[in-house]
Amino acid sequence: MNAHSSIITDADERAFLDAIDKWIEKKVRPVAMELEHGDIWPADLVDDMAELGLFGAIIDPEYGGLGLSATTYSRIVMRIAEEWMSLTGIFNSHLMMATVVQRFGTRKQKDYWLPRFVTGEMRGGLGLTEPDAGTDLQAIRTVAARDGSDYVVTGTKTWISNAIMGHCCALLVKTDPEAQPRHKGMSMLIVSKIDPETKAPLPGVSNGKKLEKLGYKGIDSGEFIFDGYRCDAELSLVGGEEGKGFAMATGGLEIGRVNIAARSVGIAKRALRESVAYAQTRKTMGKPIAEHQAIQLKLGDMAARTRAAELLVEDAARAFDAGGRVDMEAGMAKYFASETAVDVATEAMRIHGGYGYSKEYVIERLYRDAPLMCIGEGTNEMQRIIIAKQLVARNKI
């Protein structure tokens, strides 16, 4: 899937972004601090996001989705992340799963799953990471064995967003554990812990524990444990063909990296905004600290890097909308924007001094949330390798 099938006009986009802004101000801002500090699942806000259409944001209109471009989508993510980054993870992880189905699924799979994804009645994420396999996806051990018209799945996935409060996931499995090279034995299944029609719990799958985190509170990160779990091959094996899962996983990560980059920009923008305001009210030596050169140097650097990150996100989103391979553009945006979020949040804490370390101010939350951006959807070390490889591949001599 590419989101260039968008049917909304510039005026539609402005109206939608305005609706998002009003929702953030009216519903998110009053509760974000309390829910984040309590690590509380934001049930009412999730219902709001479903009503706004965010769970179908980049799903094609023929399935009931909004069909937004990646450019518009990234702007929505930036806005929400400025107020509370965790919310963006709830619908982004879900949309990565939906992207896999929309881009690679059979007609029957699209007709079955996508309308349920759009409404949010079936929410989920991407089931890639395992206790012993993160960036090296080919090292996964979860196995799906064919048994008649079913697959029988055994294995454990971890660090899955929406694992506990969600219902399903796009699951990367080994259908041929002996295949060489390893990626040729990997397939993608859509699996659910409830029956999509009756909503009754299904046997053979459990959630394990909710994982405690430094930041990124409110959203549930958890485990999926499969023990003889059965699923219908026709509905579950994405694309109807084994051995294509690795490419599907990396394809789903492209929009995820644009999202992570956009989230990073939201964090950096909020940290900068808070710092500019605070520097004008806090006084030392008889004048606002904004008039001290040491603070001005920090603000100047923070502003320039935040804007540069925003432009890289726009660049990656436009490339995604144009179709084709965007791992270099998405990697550049994700790498630079996430490092910027960490640096800007850290400088914001220094500008705020002791207040930046206080839970009464938003700075400490930004400081805790930012580092995840450097890790999620592929480490920044891996991004730089991807960028370099694509740079060489696109500039052969």
Side-chain angles (χ1 to χ4, degrees):
M1 175 199 68
N2 279 317
H4 61 277
S5 57
S6 173
I7 57 169
I8 71 166
T9 64
D10 288 345
D12 290 334
E13 181 192 281
R14 284 194 298 273
F16 192 71
L17 291 174
D18 186 53
I20 294 289
D21 287 339
K22 287 175 178 170
W23 172 68
I24 290 168
E25 186 177 350
K26 184 179 177 184
K27 304 290 284 290
V28 181
R29 190 165 299 152
V31 299
M33 197 79 87
E34 179 186 352
L35 293 175
E36 198 276 341
H37 286 162
D39 198 9
I40 299 165
W41 169 255
D44 291 344
L45 297 180
V46 171
D47 289 344
D48 290 343
M49 290 192 291
E51 199 171 312
L52 285 163
L54 289 176
F55 292 109
I58 55 173
I59 298 176
D60 282 346
E62 68 175 293
Y63 305 107
L66 296 178
L68 300 180
S69 67
T71 305
T72 300
Y73 174 62
S74 64
R75 288 171 184 157
I76 292 167
V77 171
M78 284 181 203
R79 280 165 152 81
I80 298 174
E82 270 194 68
E83 195 59 51
W84 188 17
M85 187 275 291
S86 293
L87 292 178
T88 62
I90 293 172
F91 61 85
N92 176 64
S93 300
H94 170 84
L95 287 169
M96 289 164 69
M97 171 184 68
T99 295
V100 168
V101 175
Q102 186 160 271
R103 183 181 280 183
F104 303 109
T106 64
R107 169 54 63 180
K108 182 173 182 177
Q109 289 164 353
K110 292 177 185 179
D111 289 342
Y112 186 82
W113 292 111
L114 292 177
R116 291 177 165 91
F117 292 167
V118 164
T119 61
E121 69 174 274
M122 294 295 291
R123 292 190 312 275
L126 214 50
L128 307 181
T129 304
E130 297 187 5
D132 295 315
T135 298
D136 181 14
L137 289 178
Q138 295 187 63
I140 65 164
R141 297 178 185 173
T142 298
V143 173
R146 189 70 184 248
D147 181 23
S149 61
D150 290 348
Y151 278 101
V152 180
V153 183
T154 303
T156 299
K157 295 289 182 177
T158 191
W159 290 114
I160 309 305
S161 297
N162 295 330
I164 309 226
M165 301 304 292
H167 316 101
C168 49
C169 76
L171 189 74
L172 189 63
V173 298
K174 288 272 180 81
T175 41
D176 181 2
E178 307 305 317
Q180 289 297 330
R182 294 177 297 169
H183 67 82
K184 289 188 178 295
M186 302 170 75
S187 303
M188 188 72 79
L189 303 177
I190 300 297
V191 298
S192 176
K193 60 185 183 182
I194 62 171
D195 185 302
E197 289 161 23
T198 67
K199 305 299 187 280
L202 294 172
V205 57
S206 58
N207 271 135
K209 63 186 178 184
K210 178 182 174 184
L211 301 166
E212 298 294 327
K213 308 182 295 288
L214 170 71
Y216 200 34
K217 306 280 191 175
I219 184 173
D220 54 316
S221 304
E223 299 175 316
F224 266 122
I225 300 166
F226 297 92
D227 184 9
Y229 171 86
R230 302 185 79 91
C231 57
D232 174 70
E234 190 179 14
L235 280 177
S236 298
L237 178 63
V238 180
E241 191 178 349
E242 293 185 359
K244 306 288 187 183
F246 185 75
M248 293 177 188
T250 53
L253 286 170
E254 285 178 352
I255 192 63
R257 285 172 184 157
V258 173
N259 173 286
I260 288 278
R263 287 196 230 179
S264 301
V265 171
I267 291 170
K269 278 187 163 187
R270 181 65 181 274
L272 176 62
R273 176 158 54 92
E274 296 286 336
S275 298
V276 170
Y278 183 78
Q280 293 175 79
T281 56
R282 176 70 171 179
K283 293 183 178 179
T284 63
M285 301 167 205
K287 61 182 179 182
I289 62 172
E291 294 179 24
H292 293 297
Q293 195 173 64
I295 301 299
Q296 291 170 348
L297 292 172
K298 288 182 186 294
L299 293 174
D301 186 58
M302 293 160 71
R305 294 192 63 189
T306 299
R307 180 59 178 151
E310 186 172 12
L311 291 171
L312 276 172
V313 173
E314 288 183 13
D315 183 53
R318 279 197 300 269
F320 186 91
D321 290 333
R325 190 165 181 169
V326 298
D327 46 357
M328 185 170 88
E329 291 82 0
M332 290 169 72
K334 191 269 180 187
Y335 160 59
F336 186 83
S338 58
E339 296 291 346
T340 295
V342 170
D343 292 345
V344 172
T346 303
E347 291 289 32
M349 180 168 281
R350 292 181 174 210
I351 289 169
H352 280 74
Y355 288 116
Y357 209 65
S358 165
K359 283 196 166 189
E360 291 186 29
Y361 283 70
V362 75
I363 297 301
E364 66 87 31
R365 178 185 0 134
L366 302 174
Y367 182 80
R368 287 184 289 107
D369 279 348
L372 176 65
M373 303 298 96
C374 297
I375 302 166
E377 319 308 356
T379 65
N380 281 356
E381 289 73 19
M382 183 57 69
Q383 300 314 310
R384 283 182 280 176
I385 293 169
I386 290 169
I387 293 163
K389 285 182 175 178
Q390 275 297 297
L391 199 59
V392 171
R394 297 183 193 189
N395 295 278
K396 289 289 188 187
I397 57 170

